[in-house]
Amino acid sequence: MGLALLSVVALASSGYAYVATEQVQNNLPTTNALSKPDDPAAPPADDGANDILLVGSDARTDQQGHQLPLRMLKQLRTEENPGVSTDTIILLRIPKNGGKPSVVSIPRDTWVEVPGRGKTKINSAYGVAKEKFASARRGEGEKDREKIERDSDQEGRHVLVQTVQDFTQVRIDHYAEVNLLGFYLLTEALGGVTVCLNHSTSDADSGANFRRGEQKVSGGEALSFVRQRKNLPRGDLDRIVRQQAFLSSAINQVLSAGTLASPSTMGNLIEAIHKSIVLDEGLDLLDFAQQVKSIASGTIAFETIPVVNINGRSEDGQQSIVEVDPAAVRQFLHGLVGRTAPTGGGGAPAAAAPSVPCVN
């Protein structure tokens, strides 16, 4: 998710600034996921905002294509299943007029048109394209498994970008991805993130087992917290609220004086970022950090696209889906660019409030 990028904001806000950020930039895997000249026409590039697609994948490999050992999969609280799903899809809209940035979540089961696939859940776009590409390369005689993993990931990312662009009619300017291992490492580097629950809850599938109230989660527990959707009143929508609450708390923690003043924490963050994130080739981390400084004053808005029916069914009745009206989604996203950031008046900035909101 956005946690890795926001950790970079902390680097750029600290005494490490240029040195640390350049060190990170020069050692990150990159992707050419953005639109290519021979792609179908993309939405206009100048739509009033810089738009970054933030993706959380459940890949069972690291960012170099190496298969994770079984012991690590157990720590990640995930079974060793084939395929990749993008269970977190977030559009970060940063208005060019200095207006209020928005973090917009797209539910994983949103029913959309995927290039070359037809109607399906948006979280399958990456994995289906990846497997099709990998199968073709194996059929051509390619034997290098890690190369197939890396190259097929690139294809999956590219198709996901196309899918989001077609669905939202928002031009994706940049791409950032973190997998399960990366999320695990980042939360460990931070020493955990504080969250709060309205009720005790558990779920065997995600490994969630949490008490009511405020608590700190990291590693496998943090993954369970943001991935649980069973036994939640509104299923995937409550799961999104969990993710947004986690990210909001992590933002405050990453930008806190204690984090910025700790060389060991900052060093751990740098190491975790190296292992966790893939960026498009044109995303400059220091420029990004400067663009989203408003996060530190609490002026970012967390949103979810408009939903018609959270309990919809696919045309064949075989799949549970999230039904949406693409026209309403596009109108909603366009409207976010026109909003202005609060002036603050005489009140304290939102980030000064240390309380953590409780969620389901």
Side-chain angles (χ1 to χ4, degrees):
M1 297 193 300
L3 180 57
L5 281 180
L6 294 168
S7 298
V8 175
V9 177
L11 296 179
S13 302
S14 72
Y16 293 99
Y18 292 94
V19 175
T21 310
E22 183 176 358
Q23 178 187 348
V24 171
Q25 181 92 55
N26 292 338
N27 290 280
L28 286 179
T30 59
T31 177
N32 59 354
L34 301 182
S35 297
K36 300 180 177 64
D38 58 346
D39 285 342
D46 188 8
D47 59 4
N50 288 316
D51 297 290
I52 305 176
L53 186 62
L54 307 176
V55 175
S57 82
D58 66 358
R60 275 70 174 175
T61 61
D62 63 17
Q63 300 295 23
Q64 287 71 44
H66 306 128
Q67 291 291 324
L68 298 178
L70 182 58
R71 60 175 177 78
M72 177 54 71
L73 292 174
K74 289 181 178 179
Q75 291 182 48
L76 299 177
R77 302 188 179 184
T78 185
E79 67 281 2
E80 193 173 7
N81 285 342
V84 174
S85 293
T86 48
D87 285 344
T88 302
I89 302 174
I90 292 174
L91 186 62
L92 173 58
R93 302 216 75 192
I94 307 173
K96 293 179 180 178
N97 65 0
K100 189 174 186 176
S102 300
V103 172
V104 185
S105 296
I106 301 175
R108 67 194 295 275
D109 291 344
T110 301
W111 196 244
V112 298
E113 190 79 28
V114 174
R117 170 73 172 173
K119 285 276 193 176
T120 189
K121 295 178 181 180
I122 196 168
N123 77 323
S124 70
Y126 185 131
V128 169
K130 171 183 170 65
E131 180 50 37
K132 182 178 179 181
F133 183 94
S135 179
R137 288 296 176 269
R138 288 190 292 266
E140 294 166 1
E142 177 62 66
K143 302 295 185 184
D144 187 332
R145 183 176 179 180
E146 292 178 1
K147 176 175 171 53
I148 292 174
E149 282 291 326
R150 292 192 298 270
D151 292 349
S152 61
D153 279 339
Q154 299 282 43
E155 179 65 15
R157 292 166 186 143
H158 180 222
V159 170
L160 177 60
V161 167
Q162 285 186 295
T163 300
V164 174
Q165 285 187 157
D166 291 349
F167 170 53
T168 63
Q169 286 301 296
V170 168
R171 177 69 168 263
I172 302 303
D173 299 305
H174 294 293
Y175 180 95
E177 177 189 318
V178 63
N179 59 18
L180 295 178
L181 175 62
F183 187 87
Y184 179 101
L185 293 174
L186 284 165
T187 59
E188 291 279 285
L190 284 172
V193 173
T194 301
V195 297
C196 184
L197 289 176
N198 290 319
H199 309 283
S200 298
T201 183
S202 64
D203 167 37
D205 287 353
S206 65
N209 186 14
F210 300 109
R211 58 177 172 79
R212 176 185 176 183
E214 193 171 298
Q215 55 210 286
K216 184 169 281 192
V217 295
S218 65
E221 282 191 340
L223 279 167
S224 295
F225 182 85
V226 298
R227 297 184 76 203
Q228 181 184 359
R229 61 176 180 155
K230 290 186 177 179
N231 299 327
L232 298 181
R234 299 186 307 153
D236 204 29
L237 290 185
D238 278 336
R239 181 177 183 268
I240 285 174
V241 173
R242 284 262 194 107
Q243 293 173 353
Q244 293 175 343
F246 183 94
L247 187 55
S248 177
S249 180
I251 288 171
N252 288 327
Q253 185 164 331
V254 165
L255 296 174
S256 71
T259 298
L260 298 177
S262 170
S264 62
T265 299
M266 298 299 284
N268 289 338
L269 277 176
I270 292 174
E271 184 177 355
I273 290 168
H274 281 159
K275 297 177 180 179
S276 70
I277 191 171
V278 172
L279 301 178
D280 74 88
E281 297 161 330
L283 179 54
D284 183 278
L285 291 180
L286 195 58
D287 284 348
F288 168 79
Q290 297 304 315
Q291 287 183 65
V292 296
K293 272 188 174 180
S294 57
I295 290 175
S297 62
T299 59
I300 197 163
F302 289 86
E303 308 280 1
T304 301
I305 61 168
V307 168
V308 173
N309 184 5
I310 189 68
N311 296 312
R313 304 298 300 181
S314 57
E315 288 88 340
D316 60 9
Q318 299 300 308
Q319 299 184 69
S320 174
I321 66 171
V322 173
E323 296 177 21
V324 294
D325 177 355
V329 171
R330 293 163 188 171
Q331 183 179 13
F332 170 75
L333 291 170
H334 178 76
L336 295 178
V337 176
R339 298 195 308 190
T340 57
T343 59
S355 61
V356 177
C358 292
V359 297
N360 287 326

